[in-house]
Amino acid sequence: MGSREPTPAMNHAREVAVFPTAADLARAVADEFASQGRECVARSGRFTVALAGGNTPRQAYELIPTDLPWDKFHVFFGDERPVPPDDAASNYRMARESLLSRVPIPDSNVHRICAELEPETAAQLYEDQLRECFPGEVIPRFDLVLLGMGTDGHTASLFPETGALRERKRLVVANWVEKLNQSRITLTIPVLNAATRVVFLVAGDDKATVLKRVLRDPSGEQYPVQFIRPGSGSVKWMLDSQAARLIEGFGPGAVTQRN
Ligand code: 6PG
């Protein structure tokens, strides 16, 4: 066989950008957040974004500029662990420390998942919040959803072999995750797939194997992250070169390829 086969064309609009280091990735994600925010406010008067949790986003959140129209931004969360907001494991705490505490966003524009409550109550409360913030939208359409990916291919708190993967009506569910022995609150697949733009931020060598399988088979259903295929939205994978090291055709450097 001649040159290495490029990653097969995907059946939906998708962009992949690879950055040399996690720091370069963080800068690029911060820039993406800022440009999406400015454009949405200019276009519609507000910007609705669901933040990713975990560790990878922290460095990017720390770089998001303060000189944005924060009074027009509404920040939500893709998922939350069953802990209070000041717990070290809280996605809200991570976002507050890295971003929300240093920008002039009105408290009422930060929509926290009250995951310290009984799971079903927390899920229903968050669904109610979504419906209030997206009046008239059967399924809320976020301007931007930031998502990470675990080494098992989970995203948000949609873990392999969990009930939330089958949910097609509710917006938010309490998802029992056996391997974590805990219930997590998560946006559901219909909400994530309604987004105007989904950005995955993935860094680290430990993600490379699953990432290769996912990007080579975007319509597969082996991993939860493959269920995220926005019907009319765009998807951008923002990777560091470690995570992208097994993906053919994408070398290090800010390489962008549309499929
Ligand atoms: C969470 C996240 C989860 C995360 C992935 C990747 O609550 O943990 O929502 O989906 O994005 O587990 O996490 P890292 O960025 O820490 O690898």
Side-chain angles (χ1 to χ4, degrees), residues 128-205:
D128 294 346
Q129 267 201 72
L130 283 177
R131 294 215 179 278
E132 190 179 319
C133 291
F134 293 85
E137 296 185 31
V138 174
I139 300 181
R141 186 172 169 79
F142 281 97
D143 294 314
L144 176 63
V145 172
L146 296 178
L147 290 171
M149 186 190 78
T151 54
D152 60 358
H154 81 261
T155 192
S157 282
L158 303 167
F159 283 81
E161 298 168 23
T162 59
L165 292 177
R166 294 186 296 276
E167 180 58 53
R168 293 296 179 273
K169 294 199 181 320
R170 295 179 61 187
L171 307 180
V172 186
V173 294
N175 190 31
W176 176 255
V177 185
E178 187 63 33
K179 73 176 184 179
L180 300 177
N181 192 37
Q182 64 180 209
S183 218
R184 291 221 180 153
I185 310 302
T186 186
L187 297 184
T188 58
I189 289 168
V191 175
L192 300 177
N193 281 343
T196 301
R197 187 160 178 75
V198 171
V199 169
F200 287 101
L201 51 150
V202 184
D205 183 70

Side-chain angles (χ1 to χ4, degrees), residues 8-254:
M10 306 307 160
N11 56 9
H12 57 278
R14 189 196 70 178
E15 193 180 348
V16 180
V18 180
F19 301 90
T21 67
D24 297 313
L25 170 63
R27 162 58 59 207
V29 171
D31 292 347
E32 173 80 17
F33 180 101
S35 60
Q36 289 295 321
R38 288 191 184 100
E39 282 171 29
C40 288
V41 168
R43 188 172 61 239
S44 70
R46 78 171 189 170
F47 175 52
T48 56
V49 56
L51 297 181
N55 301 313
T56 303
R58 181 186 287 270
Q59 199 176 0
Y61 295 168
E62 288 169 347
L63 296 172
I64 291 174
T66 54
D67 63 341
L68 295 170
W70 286 100
D71 61 319
K72 302 288 191 306
F73 283 27
H74 281 268
V75 171
F76 296 80
F77 294 82
D79 69 322
E80 188 54 276
R81 291 86 177 273
V83 295
D86 57 356
D87 189 288
S90 164
N91 287 334
Y92 166 79
R93 174 174 162 177
M94 184 272 284
R96 191 188 65 225
E97 289 174 345
S98 56
L99 173 62
L100 301 174
S101 59
R102 59 179 185 80
V103 296
I105 185 169
D107 289 347
S108 57
N109 289 21
V110 178
H111 306 278
R112 182 178 74 84
I113 299 174
C114 299
E116 68 276 15
L117 301 177
E118 187 275 327
E120 278 305 327
T121 303
Q124 189 55 57
L125 278 176
Y126 208 57
E127 177 144 344
D128 294 346
Q129 267 201 72
L130 283 177
R131 294 215 179 278
E132 190 179 319
C133 291
F134 293 85
E137 296 185 31
V138 174
I139 300 181
R141 186 172 169 79
F142 281 97
D143 294 314
L144 176 63
V145 172
L146 296 178
L147 290 171
M149 186 190 78
T151 54
D152 60 358
H154 81 261
T155 192
S157 282
L158 303 167
F159 283 81
E161 298 168 23
T162 59
L165 292 177
R166 294 186 296 276
E167 180 58 53
R168 293 296 179 273
K169 294 199 181 320
R170 295 179 61 187
L171 307 180
V172 186
V173 294
N175 190 31
W176 176 255
V177 185
E178 187 63 33
K179 73 176 184 179
L180 300 177
N181 192 37
Q182 64 180 209
S183 218
R184 291 221 180 153
I185 310 302
T186 186
L187 297 184
T188 58
I189 289 168
V191 175
L192 300 177
N193 281 343
T196 301
R197 187 160 178 75
V198 171
V199 169
F200 287 101
L201 51 150
V202 184
D205 183 70
D206 59 345
K207 308 285 177 75
T209 300
V210 170
L211 189 62
K212 173 182 179 178
R213 293 174 186 161
V214 165
L215 291 184
R216 288 183 68 83
D217 182 16
S219 50
E221 297 196 344
Q222 182 182 0
Y223 301 100
V225 74
Q226 293 170 302
F227 287 72
I228 310 308
R229 297 191 286 267
S232 56
S234 63
V235 177
K236 183 171 185 179
W237 289 83
M238 300 182 75
L239 316 171
D240 75 347
S241 54
Q242 283 195 336
R245 66 180 172 80
L246 298 177
I247 302 169
E248 296 169 1
F250 297 119

